[in-house]
Amino acid sequence: MSNRPLILVTNDDGITAPGIRTLIDVMRSIGDVVVVAPDSPQSAMGHAITINSTLYVEKITIDDGSQSEYSCSGTPADCVKLAVNEVLDRKPDLCVSGINHGSNSSINVIYSGTMSAALEAGIEGIPAIGFSLLDYNWNANFEHCKSYIKTIAENVLEHGLPNGVVLNVNLPNLAQQDIKGIKICRQAKANWKEEFDKRTNPMGRDYYWLTGKFVNLDHGEDTDEWALENGYVSVVPVQFDLTAHHAIQDLNTWDLK
Amino acid sequence: MSNRPLILVTNDDGITAPGIRTLIDVMRSIGDVVVVAPDSPQSAMGHAITINSTLYVEKITIDDGSQSEYSCSGTPADCVKLAVNEVLDRKPDLCVSGINHGSNSSINVIYSGTMSAALEAGIEGIPAIGFSLLDYNWNANFEHCKSYIKTIAENVLEHGLPNGVVLNVNLPNLAQQDIKGIKICRQAKANWKEEFDKRTNPMGRDYYWLTGKFVNLDHGEDTDEWALENGYVSVVPVQFDLTAHHAIQDLNTWDLK
C-alpha cells in the first residue's frame, strides 16, 4: 500500500477536457490519483444531483498515466458521491475539481458545477479545492497554473482545512511572469445583469438565450475580483452552512405569532 | 395601477404541482400575483441555469384565479431571471418559491431547486422566501401551511430583509393544532449518508440509483431540524455570500509563496 496521499479528481467540463487533464498531471506529482468525472460537459449545473434517473460509471483509459479513471453519466456532485461510496476503497485525502474553463469567482460560485463537486466533497468531510482559469477557451493554456495548483494542494494536505470549509481558487489568464502571487480573499459582491436574446424558431415560436454582463460594484481590495484584476491567484474559503447568522437577531424581533 | 404588492411565485416541482397552487392561493390574498414556474419537475436541480440550450416561456391559464401565469422550459433559477427581465414590467416586491413537496431543511438547502429560485431572487435584490412542507406526497395536505405562510410573507413585506439574505421556511407535517409556532433557526449540521442501489440493466450493464439516509449529529436546540422535530415551523435566514470569513485569518498564515 502506498504512503502517498489518495487524491480524487473531478470537474464539470467532462473527463476529456484539457483543464482536468492538466489537473490530473499536477496531482500525479503529489499522490495516487483516481479520476471520477462526468462523461459530458456539465457547466452551470450548480449543485444538481440525479435522483429521478439512473447513474452509470465506467472504468476507462484516456492516456498512459498512472491514474485510474472512471467516467460517470451524472453531475459533478453525483461523481463525488459515487467515487466516495462505490469507486474508492477508502476516503481520499484530498478532492480537487477543475481546472474549470472559465471563472468561478464572486457570485459564479453559486452556479458552478466545479465548485459543487468541491462542496460535495467538503460535505463528505474531505479537504477539497475547486480550480478555475479565467479563460473560457477549450484550448486555453493551463501551463502557468501548475505551480500555483501544486503549492495550494500541498498546503491543504499539510494543514488540512477547517471543518465545513473548501477552497475556491481562480487563476488569472496571464503569463507566468505577470502573476504576482496568491491572495486569500472574500467573495466579491458582484452579479450578472442578464440580457435575454429573444429569437423566433422556424415554427414561429419565440425562445430565449440567456446572456449577460458581469457587474462588480464591490470596490473592496480584499475580494477575489480585485485580486484577479490585479494579477493575483484568488483563494476564497467557501462554506456550505448558508445560515446568515447575523440576521437571526433581527428576525427574532418580528411578530410571528 | 394597483397599490398592492407585486408578488412573483415560482417553484421546482412544476407549475401544476399542488404545492405551488396553494402558494398562489395564499399570495392572492396579499397582492397581485404573477407565476413563472417550470413546465416540468426540476427537483434537486440545485442552482443550475440554462446556458447551452434555449428557453421557452408561455402564457397559460390553469385555474380561474386573478393571477397571470407563465410556464417556462428552464430551471427554477432560469424562471426567476426570465420573470424579472422579460415577463414583469417592474421589479416584484416579493418572490416566493414552493411550497416544495418535501423538506429543504439543513444541508438539503444546497441541493434544492426551490431555494435556488429564492436565492436567485435575492441576488437580483428582491426579498425572497422558499417554502417547503415535510411531506413528499403529491397529494400532501397543504391547508395547515396557509396561515404561517401568510404571516411570514406579510412580515417580509413589512420589514424587508437584510441585504443578501433570503428565508428558508420549512413546515412540519402536522395537524394545525399540533404546530407550536414559528422559530428563527440556524441550518443544522446534518448530511446524507448515501447508499447506492446497484442494479444491472437488461443489456447487462451495471447502473446505480442514488438513495440515502439523512443523519443529523447536531444536537443544538437552535437548529431547523430541532424546530421541525419539536413541532415548529423553521425559518432559516440564508445567504449567497459563501465566504467562510472565519477561515481567512488562518489561511493567511500558510506559506503560499
Side-chain angles (χ1 to χ4, degrees):
Chain A
M1 207 179 111
S2 162
N3 284 327
R4 306 179 79 206
L6 178 60
I7 303 175
L8 172 64
V9 182
T10 190
N11 77 340
D12 75 343
D13 291 315
I15 196 161
T16 59
I20 194 173
R21 307 318 301 173
T22 305
L23 190 54
I24 292 165
D25 200 27
V26 179
M27 292 304 132
R28 269 200 312 251
S29 72
I30 303 178
D32 293 336
V33 174
V34 178
V35 183
V36 183
D39 58 14
S40 60
Q42 298 273 342
S43 290
M45 280 307 286
H47 210 97
I49 52 173
T50 303
I51 52 173
N52 290 315
S53 182
T54 55
L55 289 165
Y56 287 89
V57 186
E58 198 168 357
K59 194 166 193 331
I60 59 167
T61 304
I62 292 180
D63 60 32
D64 56 4
S66 57
Q67 73 279 4
S68 309
E69 301 207 43
Y70 299 82
S71 90
C72 169
S73 63
T75 65
D78 290 330
C79 287
V80 172
K81 285 179 187 284
L82 270 163
V84 171
N85 290 281
E86 296 291 327
V87 175
L88 299 170
D89 295 331
R90 68 174 182 91
K91 199 166 166 173
D93 301 294
L94 178 67
C95 173
V96 291
S97 178
I99 307 169
N100 191 58
H101 292 243
S103 166
N104 280 317
S105 62
S106 179
I107 195 67
N108 297 307
V109 65
I110 218 164
Y111 305 104
S112 162
T114 303
M115 282 307 300
S116 81
L119 284 163
E120 186 61 42
I123 292 168
E124 306 261 0
I126 302 159
I129 319 168
F131 293 102
S132 306
L133 173 65
L134 271 63
D135 187 339
Y136 286 91
N137 289 310
W138 192 255
N139 296 314
N141 180 9
F142 290 97
E143 271 310 300
H144 68 288
C145 303
K146 289 183 169 179
S147 65
Y148 297 102
I149 289 174
K150 190 164 187 216
T151 299
I152 293 167
E154 284 176 338
N155 266 273
V156 168
L157 282 166
E158 184 188 337
H159 300 286
L161 282 171
N163 207 345
V165 172
V166 308
L167 300 186
N168 181 19
V169 177
N170 282 270
L171 298 121
N173 187 18
L174 293 172
Q176 179 108 36
Q177 66 271 19
D178 294 330
I179 297 185
K180 294 191 191 134
I182 297 171
K183 249 200 191 330
I184 312 298
C185 310
R186 64 171 173 86
Q187 175 184 325
K189 194 174 150 55
N191 64 321
W192 286 88
K193 176 85 203 85
E194 284 85 20
E195 285 162 11
F196 283 95
D197 183 349
K198 188 174 179 177
R199 303 186 181 185
T200 306
N201 77 9
M203 284 71 73
R205 201 172 155 208
D206 290 338
Y207 66 95
Y208 298 89
W209 287 102
L210 170 57
T211 69
K213 267 204 299 273
F214 185 70
V215 182
N216 180 19
L217 299 173
D218 184 339
H219 302 306
E221 299 195 353
D222 55 348
T223 71
D224 49 2
E225 290 303 320
W226 187 92
L228 292 161
E229 278 162 26
N230 287 275
Y232 292 92
V233 174
S234 70
V235 178
V236 177
V238 163
Q239 60 191 349
F240 43 85
D241 174 5
L242 304 191
T243 312
H245 291 277
H246 64 280
I248 288 179
Q249 209 173 341
D250 242 19
L251 292 175
N252 272 319
T253 66
W254 290 11
D255 182 16
L256 295 170
K257 292 295 166 303
Chain B
M1 209 177 112
S2 162
N3 284 325
R4 306 178 79 205
L6 177 61
I7 304 175
L8 172 64
V9 182
T10 189
N11 77 341
D12 77 344
D13 290 315
I15 196 161
T16 60
I20 194 172
R21 307 319 301 173
T22 305
L23 190 55
I24 293 165
D25 200 27
V26 178
M27 291 304 132
R28 270 200 312 252
S29 73
I30 302 178
D32 292 338
V33 174
V34 178
V35 183
V36 183
D39 57 14
S40 60
Q42 298 273 341
S43 288
M45 280 306 285
H47 211 97
I49 52 174
T50 304
I51 52 173
N52 290 315
S53 182
T54 55
L55 289 166
Y56 287 89
V57 185
E58 199 168 358
K59 194 166 192 333
I60 58 167
T61 303
I62 292 181
D63 60 32
D64 56 4
S66 57
Q67 73 279 1
S68 309
E69 300 207 42
Y70 300 81
S71 90
C72 169
S73 63
T75 65
D78 290 330
C79 288
V80 172
K81 285 178 188 284
L82 271 164
V84 171
N85 290 281
E86 296 293 326
V87 175
L88 298 170
D89 295 330
R90 68 174 182 91
K91 199 166 166 173
D93 301 295
L94 178 68
C95 172
V96 292
S97 177
I99 305 168
N100 191 58
H101 292 243
S103 167
N104 280 317
S105 61
S106 179
I107 194 68
N108 297 306
V109 68
I110 217 163
Y111 305 103
S112 162
T114 303
M115 282 309 298
S116 80
L119 284 163
E120 186 61 42
I123 293 168
E124 306 261 359
I126 302 158
I129 319 168
F131 293 102
S132 306
L133 173 65
L134 271 64
D135 187 340
Y136 287 91
N137 290 308
W138 192 255
N139 296 314
N141 180 9
F142 290 97
E143 270 310 300
H144 67 290
C145 303
K146 290 182 169 181
S147 65
Y148 298 102
I149 289 174
K150 192 165 186 217
T151 299
I152 294 166
E154 285 176 337
N155 266 273
V156 169
L157 282 166
E158 183 187 338
H159 299 285
L161 282 171
N163 207 345
V165 172
V166 308
L167 300 185
N168 181 18
V169 177
N170 282 271
L171 298 122
N173 187 19
L174 293 173
Q176 178 108 38
Q177 66 272 17
D178 294 329
I179 297 185
K180 292 191 193 138
I182 298 171
K183 252 202 190 326
I184 312 298
C185 309
R186 65 173 173 85
Q187 176 184 324
K189 194 174 151 55
N191 64 322
W192 287 89
K193 176 85 202 83
E194 284 86 18
E195 285 163 9
F196 283 94
D197 183 349
K198 187 174 180 177
R199 301 185 182 186
T200 306
N201 76 9
M203 284 70 73
R205 202 171 155 209
D206 290 340
Y207 66 95
Y208 297 89
W209 287 102
L210 169 57
T211 69
K213 265 204 302 272
F214 185 71
V215 182
N216 180 18
L217 299 173
D218 184 339
H219 301 306
E221 300 195 352
D222 55 347
T223 72
D224 49 2
E225 290 303 321
W226 187 93
L228 292 161
E229 278 162 25
N230 287 275
Y232 291 92
V233 174
S234 69
V235 178
V236 177
V238 163
Q239 60 192 350
F240 43 86
D241 174 4
L242 304 191
T243 311
H245 291 276
H246 64 280
I248 287 179
Q249 209 174 342
D250 242 19
L251 292 175
N252 272 319
T253 66
W254 290 11
D255 182 17
L256 294 171
K257 292 294 165 296

